[in-house]
Amino acid sequence: MSAGVGETSCDASASAPAMLILDASYTLEIIRERGLENSVLSRDLDGFFRHVWTVHPMASLLTSDAWAPRYGKGNWHQLSDRHTFVEGKVGRFGGLSRLLPVNFLLSQLLLFLQLRRLIRRERIAIVRAGDPLYLGIFGWALARSTGARFMIRVNGNNDKVRENTGRPAYARLFRSIEVEKRIERFVFPRCDLIAAPNQDNVDFAVGNGARADRVTIFRYGNLLAQEHLRDPEQRECDTEFFKSLRVTPGKYLLSVGRLEALKHPEDLMQVFAKVRAAGHDLDLVYAGDGSMRADLTAIADKLGVAEHVRFPGNQNQQQLAQLNSFATAVLSALTGRALSESALCGAPIVAYDLDWQGDLVETGITGELVPFRSTEAMAESVLKLLNDPDYARTMGKGARERALAMMDPERLNAHERAAYRGLLMRREPR
């Protein structure tokens, strides 16, 4: 691990702009474990930004003890000449570990002041937040106090998450749906630019106060690892990997994503049981982890399919490319970027008609799109693919073709550069 001890500096006299990104999606430890480096290193858009600082304000909440101490000053990691990754702490002082709220606020305040100095010294032009809630407030305050442009890259439709779960989208930080709504309606109208990965998320932002003329779509394609873009026909099967999972290539259904309630992984277990009851000797692989793993194991026992369900946990990009490429079918209750990866691998997909999934999956052309929470309809679509292998191959081919058209990295990079130019030319910094 390479970590700096202070604020990394670069040549502030260069003509290219610089950007600071607040992103709590992954810690650097997870990024390296799963091979997600391109999702960070691509952010400079081939040199459009002279430097990008990516900041996870509370990374030590999720990192292991072997990676970094839980409390103290943040860690600054120099990833390349144009990229620095900053990991904040969940608390400033170990002696205040029993006063977590106070310790957390103190740590975040000190990080805020450090980043504000960085923005001013390096003349960072854009502050980008990864969600409109905690990171949105944090980013807006940084931009407001330094004169930088402020933007959000929306990471989902929080309204639908709350509707489906009955809970706040970030329940650990905000105890009330009403509080979250107030924050979103405060932050969105104050954005200079909002980027969303799909039209559904654009509609969410506009519905909560974002200006329609300041919203654009940044799709996932330029964030993806190269493993997913390779021609599926040229991919060799890693037999040792499948042996380690006790899975036979071409004889399993696949789910990729977090094992959390908002993702409805329990529905896929019900679907799997119906498919096996119809006489198909397949396994089910959950590539991901989360708080529902024990619940899913119990459901598998109850349904009598436990010996055919695999929980290999989170996988790196090479492993995910293998799993997607040789799956009989991919089941998606609610998937983000991983759905793009499945499609690029040419996997036949059955997905709920939820969020953005209908943009990519179209029944009879790129897969099977079924009503939300209808496990019966999803099972019927899986059986349709299983009973007609030619149709399944056609759907997989169609999914890859659409994903390539939607996710072409060069075209997406050009669109993002144009959007940032427009943002920078709109007005002078405050």
Side-chain angles (χ1 to χ4, degrees):
M1 178 177 68
S2 174
V5 295
E7 301 169 13
T8 304
S9 180
C10 62
D11 182 9
S13 65
S15 59
M19 179 166 63
L20 185 143
I21 300 176
L22 300 169
D23 186 357
S25 301
Y26 300 106
T27 66
L28 186 56
E29 181 181 29
I30 293 175
I31 287 169
R32 287 181 169 164
E33 286 175 353
R34 302 187 195 176
L36 294 168
E37 287 87 351
N38 188 63
S39 66
V40 176
L41 297 178
S42 63
R43 289 170 170 172
D44 69 281
L45 299 176
D46 294 332
F48 178 83
F49 290 106
R50 59 179 165 81
H51 205 89
V52 178
W53 287 263
T54 297
V55 183
H56 190 315
M58 59 200 83
S60 68
L61 183 67
L62 303 170
T63 52
S64 66
D65 292 337
W67 178 261
R70 185 176 177 85
Y71 304 106
K73 295 181 179 180
N75 297 112
W76 295 64
H77 305 261
Q78 187 75 24
L79 304 186
S80 72
D81 291 342
R82 292 198 293 260
H83 293 272
T84 302
F85 199 101
V86 183
E87 295 195 301
K89 303 291 185 177
V90 71
R92 180 64 180 86
F93 300 105
L96 295 177
S97 60
R98 294 186 178 182
L99 298 174
L100 183 57
V102 173
N103 208 11
F104 174 76
L105 289 173
L106 183 59
S107 174
Q108 297 300 288
L109 175 60
L110 294 175
L111 177 63
F112 178 89
L113 296 174
Q114 193 175 24
L115 295 178
R116 189 173 66 176
R117 289 194 299 270
L118 175 74
I119 293 168
R120 288 172 173 168
R121 188 185 71 234
E122 301 292 346
R123 298 169 63 187
I124 293 173
I126 299 171
V127 173
R128 189 176 100 185
D131 70 63
L133 293 168
Y134 180 74
L135 299 183
I137 288 291
F138 199 117
W140 171 80
L142 276 175
R144 180 75 176 180
S145 63
T146 59
R149 277 75 164 177
F150 172 53
M151 69 169 289
I152 288 177
R153 177 158 183 156
V154 178
N155 62 1
N157 187 328
N158 290 342
D159 282 341
K160 288 187 177 178
V161 170
R162 291 184 287 249
E163 179 182 347
N164 293 333
T165 65
R167 302 173 65 238
Y170 294 85
R172 296 180 67 178
L173 282 174
F174 306 103
R175 304 295 180 86
S176 163
I177 291 176
E178 182 181 356
V179 170
E180 286 192 344
K181 294 292 292 181
R182 287 181 177 178
I183 293 173
E184 288 166 351
R185 289 169 178 165
F186 173 84
V187 170
F188 275 131
R190 290 164 173 80
C191 291
D192 298 307
L193 178 67
I194 296 170
N198 53 73
Q199 188 60 46
D200 177 87
N201 294 174
V202 166
D203 295 340
F204 158 67
V206 173
N208 285 278
R211 287 179 50 176
D213 62 336
R214 295 193 175 183
V215 181
T216 188
I217 292 180
F218 286 1
R219 295 197 185 275
Y220 299 116
N222 50 357
L223 306 179
L224 303 180
Q226 287 299 310
E227 287 88 342
H228 304 296
L229 295 168
R230 289 180 55 204
D231 185 345
E233 298 296 328
Q234 298 178 2
R235 303 183 189 190
E236 295 183 0
C237 180
D238 185 347
T239 55
E240 293 302 315
F241 169 65
F242 285 104
K243 284 181 182 179
S244 71
L245 299 184
R246 296 183 295 116
V247 169
T248 302
K251 297 285 289 182
Y252 62 91
L253 303 179
L254 174 65
S255 166
V256 182
R258 290 178 289 140
L259 306 183
E260 301 293 346
L262 65 91
K263 298 289 187 178
H264 302 293
E266 72 279 12
D267 287 12
L268 308 185
M269 192 76 75
Q270 298 286 343
V271 171
F272 178 59
K274 295 177 192 295
V275 170
R276 283 198 60 84
H280 292 275
D281 185 17
L282 299 173
D283 294 319
L284 173 62
V285 177
Y286 282 100
D289 210 343
S291 63
M292 286 190 66
R293 180 166 177 169
D295 294 335
L296 292 169
T297 301
I299 293 171
D301 283 332
K302 184 177 180 179
L303 294 174
V305 297
E307 64 180 291
H308 301 286
V309 180
R310 308 287 182 262
F311 294 99
N314 295 312
Q315 304 292 293
N316 64 35
Q317 299 308 291
Q318 184 177 4
Q319 293 163 339
L320 286 175
Q322 284 282 308
L323 286 168
N324 278 308
S325 298
F326 297 99
T328 309
V330 170
L331 310 183
S332 176
L334 175 58
T335 313
R337 181 171 63 189
L339 188 64
S340 304
E341 297 167 351
S342 296
L344 286 166
C345 291
I349 300 170
V350 183
Y352 280 154
D353 187 4
L354 180 68
D355 201 85
W356 81 290
Q357 299 194 135
D359 294 359
L360 184 56
V361 181
E362 184 177 355
T363 299
I365 299 177
T366 63
E368 291 280 313
L369 194 68
V370 301
F372 179 51
R373 302 305 304 274
S374 177
T375 58
E376 190 69 38
M378 181 172 278
E380 289 176 2
S381 288
V382 173
L383 292 172
K384 183 178 179 180
L385 294 171
L386 295 175
N387 294 330
D388 190 344
D390 289 339
Y391 176 72
R393 282 191 291 272
T394 300
M395 293 304 98
K397 182 179 179 181
R400 177 170 168 81
E401 289 174 352
R402 178 167 293 186
L404 284 172
M406 293 174 63
M407 305 293 170
D408 176 65
E410 291 303 318
R411 183 170 57 83
L412 296 177
N413 276 349
H415 169 65
E416 290 191 22
R417 286 191 290 265
Y420 284 122
R421 287 191 192 98
L423 172 63
L424 293 168
M425 293 174 61
R426 187 173 298 143
R427 59 176 175 79
E428 290 301 316
R430 296 184 186 91

